[in-house]
Amino acid sequence: MRLLTLLLVCFMTLPAYAVDVCACKGNKKPGGACYAGVGGPAYAGVGGPAYAGVGGPCYAGVGGPRYKGVGGKRYAGKGGPLYKGVGGACYAGVGGPCQRKHRDYLKRCPEACRN
């Protein structure tokens, strides 16, 4: 058990956490950024960095960090943080923060909108 805990702590300090472990795209082999085995950076078991149960970082239910419904951090409807309509944080039309031809596109457009 101590070895497992030690491995988990070691993997938590790796730079692989820059990868979205909830929708991981990358090397899924042991030692890779998307390895989902016990102690891996994309492990989805209870307490793991990609745990999708209540309270986990990948939980998509009401109140969870990946919730896409009204009031959620990933809500794209009118008034939501990822709204792509006129006046929204992800608006890509003329004068919008996510208009690609603007020279400050990367600074103005929130990262969550750039997909």
Side-chain angles (χ1 to χ4, degrees), residues 84-103 105 108:
K84 294 183 179 186
V86 177
C90 295
Y91 181 59
V94 177
C98 293
Q99 186 178 14
R100 287 192 180 267
K101 67 181 182 180
H102 194 280
R103 63 184 171 98
Y105 167 76
R108 295 174 44 171

Side-chain angles (χ1 to χ4, degrees), residues 2-96:
R2 285 184 185 195
L3 180 61
L4 180 62
T5 304
L6 181 62
L7 284 173
L8 184 62
V9 170
C10 288
F11 276 112
M12 289 176 63
T13 60
L14 291 175
Y17 279 86
V19 174
D20 180 11
V21 293
C22 300
C24 205
K25 295 176 186 158
N27 185 358
K28 292 180 174 26
K29 294 179 181 178
C34 296
Y35 178 61
V38 176
Y43 178 61
V46 176
Y51 181 58
V54 176
C58 297
Y59 180 60
V62 177
R66 299 187 68 84
Y67 180 58
K68 293 182 179 180
V70 177
K73 293 178 184 175
R74 294 181 170 251
Y75 180 59
K78 195 166 191 169
L82 300 182
Y83 181 56
K84 294 183 179 186
V86 177
C90 295
Y91 181 59
V94 177

